[in-house]
Amino acid sequence: MKKLLSCFVVSLGIASAANAQGTQWHVIKERIVTRWATQVDPKAPLPEYPRPLLVRSNNWINLNGLWSYAITPKSQAEPTNYEGNILVPFAVESALSGVGRNVGKDSLLWYRNTISIPSSMKNKDILLHFGAVDWQTEVFVNGKSAGKHEGGYDPFSINITSYLKKGAKQDITVRVWDPTDDGPQPAGKQVVKPEGIWYTPVTGIWQTVWLEAVGKSYIRSTKNTPDIDKHTISVAADVENLQEGDNLKIEVLDGITVVAQQQVGARETAVITVNNEKLWSPSAPFLYDLKVTLVRNNRPVDEIKSYFAMRKISMAPDANGIQRMLLNNKFLFQYGPLDQGWWPDGLYTPPTYEAMVYDIDQLKKMGFNMIRKHIKVEPATYYAYCDKVGMLLWQDMPSGDRGNGWENRPGILDHGTDKNRTPESEGYYRKEWNAIIDALYNYPSIVVWIPFNEAWGQFKTTEITEWTMKKDPSRLVNSASGGNFYPTGHIIDLHNYPHPAMPRPDVFGQKQVLVLGEFGGLGLPLEGHTWQKNKNWGYQSFKTSEEMFKKYEAFTERIAQLIPLGLSAAVYTQTTDVEGEVNGFMTYDRQVDKMPVDKLHEANVKLYDPALVK
């Protein structure tokens, strides 16, 4: 499945307050915005099919658009009057929401919409899907509670069939509470009082909301695991309302040609041989299409389309006994930026699909083959695009419970100090990390999981790392990027600003892959393109692009010297400026590349020279 589908267009009824004020939505331009802000259509924002790894191309409705909203005291019941419009799926604090207001731990954010369910969905089960809502959510359908969810970064669905009333019109109400950094939940870089490396809160719906009509029995998810050494792809499915005797028919396609197929019991895992397989890599990101059909009494009950890649991420010692990170059993130096995925107009949410892929395309043009997705989870369409164009991804777990610091440094083998998190905080972390891995498991571009960043909330490091390795043995685990070092996981990760450095090969290299998880951070504020007028900063500031590139080029030359010593990967801070940070390759509004893209490409691709490792 290589193309994203446009939304199935139907007429949506909007709650009365939204109808009354439908013409009043506008982008709040108190700060800089991207050029894509003007392309946002309030009638159909982010219309793309939101689940590219499990596609049913008909009988779905995108519910993004204008909803009514209200902010009330936490103790108050549902408001009788709503305050105006909010553009879903943009967080209430964002410019693109049309609201631009903070909520806080003592208040609730309410959404309301009246939707129309078309006749084509009659006699089907109706699923209400949310890509992500930050943080604690309760959904009401026609005044009755239909479901709850806690988690700001994982998708969730509610079967609302039993709550629907006769007729097409249905009332949907969503209640959200989000304490940001005043609560026990993972919150990433959000804080109530933004400054420095901490940013604006993101409250409420921030990914696509949509309806889907399915049968009583349907495929909820699949789990696809390639094994290039055995030339197989393993496929298992989670089926709702599974019946005895149900089977799965699985077809592997190269374009329109079926290259392999198998039918197994619906509770079984199919292990399918893929002869003469085409391997996926940054230089050749080939994707096989996948069709999975639920079969009952020799008749199809449900069918989904997906895709997968034949690729392997692993580690092995080089000729000097230093562990190296391998892609498809060969060493490939992985190099890319720290990428926080923030937008001046949408905060967590890109204004358009085109804006989102622009960042990835620019990084490819700059010569990078990897992105470290920093303490944030992206919409599914982001990962699908990285799969399509061949961009490796390291995925962080969004942090929470910041407070403990570093207790040791590279070269010292003694343990750091784990944070003593509350049972509530620990429970939220475990639940959401598990849900994130489940949601992202099938994306071949993801090659590394990072449970902790810089000791921020780092707890029970060995246990969490080994749990992650056991849950997904198909990827590498970087236990604590730049955090307190423990002899666990596949990777030891140093952060060093601004100059490149690496963990000591003689101490760590025999057992763990050596990476530079953050460095650089060269700053260049450009007037007219900054989030704020002052207090802008980088780890080392420059006045001209020429001076900045000269220093950057020297950094890449130093990295080229570290690769033969055992360095397997490096992460430069960062893709774009973010609020007060002005250390991006691009300005926060994506209007200016701070260094010439062709020169960056020339400097970066030298690091992939196989001759650097004998």
Side-chain angles (χ1 to χ4, degrees):
M1 207 297 296
K2 301 181 180 69
K3 294 183 179 178
L4 297 172
L5 303 174
S6 296
C7 103
F8 172 44
V9 179
V10 299
S11 61
L12 294 180
I14 306 298
S16 57
N19 274 330
Q21 302 179 39
T23 60
Q24 294 183 16
W25 174 86
H26 64 276
V27 181
I28 299 170
K29 295 185 178 179
E30 295 174 353
R31 298 181 186 263
I32 56 173
V33 297
T34 68
R35 64 180 177 272
W36 297 280
T38 60
Q39 300 172 17
V40 173
D41 179 0
K43 295 180 181 179
L46 294 167
E48 293 76 24
Y49 189 85
R51 195 183 56 197
L53 269 173
L54 199 154
V55 175
R56 294 183 185 91
S57 57
N58 54 7
N59 265 8
W60 77 282
I61 302 172
N62 192 317
L63 297 182
N64 292 344
L66 292 171
W67 292 46
S68 298
Y69 87 94
I71 298 173
T72 67
K74 189 180 176 185
S75 58
Q76 184 175 320
E78 180 185 355
T80 54
N81 294 309
Y82 281 72
E83 300 176 47
N85 290 347
I86 184 169
L87 188 60
V88 170
F90 299 103
V92 66
E93 296 89 351
S94 73
L96 283 170
S97 72
V99 180
R101 291 173 57 187
N102 288 355
V103 180
K105 66 177 181 179
D106 297 322
S107 298
L108 297 173
L109 173 62
W110 296 84
Y111 298 82
R112 191 180 177 202
N113 198 350
T114 300
I115 66 172
S116 297
I117 297 182
S119 59
S120 61
M121 292 187 171
K122 188 177 181 180
N123 299 323
K124 297 281 189 178
D125 273 19
I126 307 300
L127 306 180
L128 178 59
H129 298 285
F130 294 85
V133 184
D134 197 356
W135 169 70
Q136 187 183 83
T137 308
E138 184 168 10
V139 179
F140 302 85
V141 179
N142 295 318
K144 296 181 180 179
S145 178
K148 298 179 180 179
H149 180 75
E150 290 179 328
Y153 301 94
D154 58 308
F156 64 98
S157 303
I158 299 172
N159 189 325
I160 64 171
T161 311
S162 62
Y163 300 94
L164 301 177
K165 61 186 180 182
K166 291 183 178 180
K169 303 287 186 181
Q170 313 291 332
D171 291 325
I172 307 293
T173 303
V174 180
R175 182 178 67 191
V176 180
W177 177 62
D178 178 23
T180 311
D181 59 326
D182 285 332
Q185 84 287 2
K189 286 287 196 83
Q190 307 171 59
V191 293
V192 174
K193 297 179 180 179
E195 62 176 349
I197 64 171
W198 310 107
Y199 316 137
T200 302
V202 173
T203 301
I205 298 169
W206 66 273
Q207 287 189 30
T208 291
V209 185
W210 56 296
L211 282 182
E212 182 180 28
V214 296
K216 293 295 181 183
S217 297
Y218 62 93
I219 299 167
R220 278 196 300 240
S221 64
T222 67
K223 186 175 183 180
N224 313 325
T225 307
D227 187 331
I228 70 168
D229 299 320
K230 295 181 179 179
H231 315 289
T232 62
I233 178 71
S234 298
V235 180
D238 180 16
V239 178
E240 176 72 15
N241 194 27
L242 181 66
Q243 305 293 312
E244 285 298 323
D246 284 356
N247 291 316
L248 294 174
K249 179 184 177 183
I250 300 163
E251 298 171 86
V252 175
L253 297 97
D254 179 347
I256 61 173
T257 304
V258 177
V259 297
Q261 59 181 313
Q262 190 175 123
Q263 185 160 307
V264 297
R267 290 186 174 89
E268 299 175 22
T269 297
V271 181
I272 303 171
T273 299
V274 182
N275 293 315
N276 303 311
E277 75 268 60
K278 300 176 182 179
L279 298 182
W280 182 98
S281 69
S283 59
F286 182 81
L287 297 173
Y288 287 93
D289 286 327
L290 185 69
K291 183 160 62 173
V292 182
T293 306
L294 178 63
V295 179
R296 181 175 298 160
N297 298 324
N298 296 319
R299 298 181 63 182
V301 175
D302 187 31
E303 180 180 283
I304 63 96
K305 294 180 180 179
S306 187
Y307 66 86
F308 69 91
M310 295 299 291
R311 72 100 183 88
K312 176 184 178 183
I313 185 70
S314 60
M315 58 185 281
D318 63 15
N320 297 317
I322 302 298
Q323 293 292 337
R324 295 285 186 171
M325 191 182 303
L326 308 181
L327 181 69
N328 300 333
N329 295 322
K330 297 178 181 179
F331 176 68
L332 172 65
F333 186 74
Q334 296 189 22
Y335 185 46
L338 193 77
D339 190 293
Q340 308 204 59
W342 283 74
W343 299 84
D345 36 30
L347 299 180
Y348 265 8
T349 312
T352 66
Y353 178 78
E354 291 75 19
M356 181 188 74
V357 304
Y358 177 83
D359 278 6
I360 302 167
D361 288 343
Q362 283 297 99
L363 294 173
K364 289 283 286 188
K365 291 176 182 177
M366 292 175 188
F368 295 109
N369 65 7
M370 175 264 281
I371 292 171
R372 179 182 167 199
K373 182 48 60 179
H374 190 42
I375 54 178
K376 182 207 173 188
V377 176
E378 294 289 353
T381 49
Y382 180 95
Y383 299 96
Y385 191 74
C386 289
D387 294 342
K388 178 181 177 180
V389 301
M391 182 63 83
L392 298 166
L393 291 173
W394 296 10
Q395 179 62 56
D396 288 15
M397 168 63 183
S399 58
D401 256 8
R402 300 178 294 269
N404 55 324
W406 293 275
E407 297 295 334
N408 57 17
R409 287 299 183 186
I412 302 175
L413 282 173
D414 61 316
H415 291 188
T417 301
D418 275 333
K419 185 176 179 64
N420 184 21
R421 294 172 76 152
T422 66
E424 185 183 27
S425 170
E426 181 176 330
Y428 285 133
Y429 174 97
R430 290 179 184 272
K431 181 173 69 172
E432 191 143 10
W433 188 220
N434 182 69
I436 288 169
I437 294 174
D438 283 343
L440 301 183
Y441 181 88
N442 284 347
Y443 294 104
S445 52
I446 298 175
V447 293
V448 173
W449 298 119
I450 304 178
F452 300 110
N453 175 73
E454 290 191 354
W456 298 348
Q458 186 178 344
F459 76 102
K460 297 184 179 178
T461 307
T462 300
E463 179 185 341
I464 295 296
T465 301
E466 293 180 358
W467 176 91
T468 306
M469 294 166 66
K470 183 178 180 181
K471 182 171 179 66
D472 184 4
S474 72
R475 290 180 172 90
L476 300 183
V477 177
N478 182 357
S479 64
S481 181
N484 291 321
F485 298 138
Y486 286 74
T488 186
H490 304 104
I491 295 169
I492 195 77
D493 179 329
L494 170 68
H495 291 184
N496 196 77
Y497 285 101
H499 302 280
M502 65 182 289
R504 286 178 54 180
D506 58 325
V507 175
F508 299 106
Q510 303 295 318
K511 295 183 178 180
Q512 291 175 295
V513 173
L514 309 173
V515 309
L516 173 59
E518 292 182 28
F519 80 102
L522 303 181
L524 178 64
L526 295 178
E527 187 175 352
H529 300 280
T530 58
W531 176 257
Q532 55 201 32
K533 291 186 178 180
N534 50 40
K535 295 186 178 179
N536 295 301
W537 69 281
Y539 287 93
Q540 185 176 352
S541 296
F542 296 85
K543 293 183 179 180
T544 69
S545 173
E546 292 76 15
E547 292 175 350
M548 187 177 180
F549 177 75
K550 185 176 181 180
K551 175 62 73 172
Y552 178 83
E553 188 176 34
F555 284 174
T556 61
E557 290 170 355
R558 176 56 181 157
I559 290 173
Q561 296 171 351
L562 297 176
I563 294 172
L565 303 180
L567 188 67
S568 277
V571 177
Y572 179 89
T573 301
Q574 61 185 324
T575 299
T576 71
D577 297 347
V578 183
E579 299 201 357
E581 297 183 46
V582 292
N583 47 20
F585 288 111
M586 295 181 278
T587 54
Y588 197 18
D589 57 12
R590 278 72 168 175
Q591 294 288 348
V592 182
D593 297 316
K594 295 188 185 180
M595 294 179 279
V597 172
D598 57 344
K599 289 186 177 181
L600 287 170
H601 183 273
E602 183 180 1
N604 292 338
V605 297
K606 293 177 181 178
L607 302 178
Y608 311 133
D609 186 351
L612 292 174
V613 178
K614 304 298 183 183

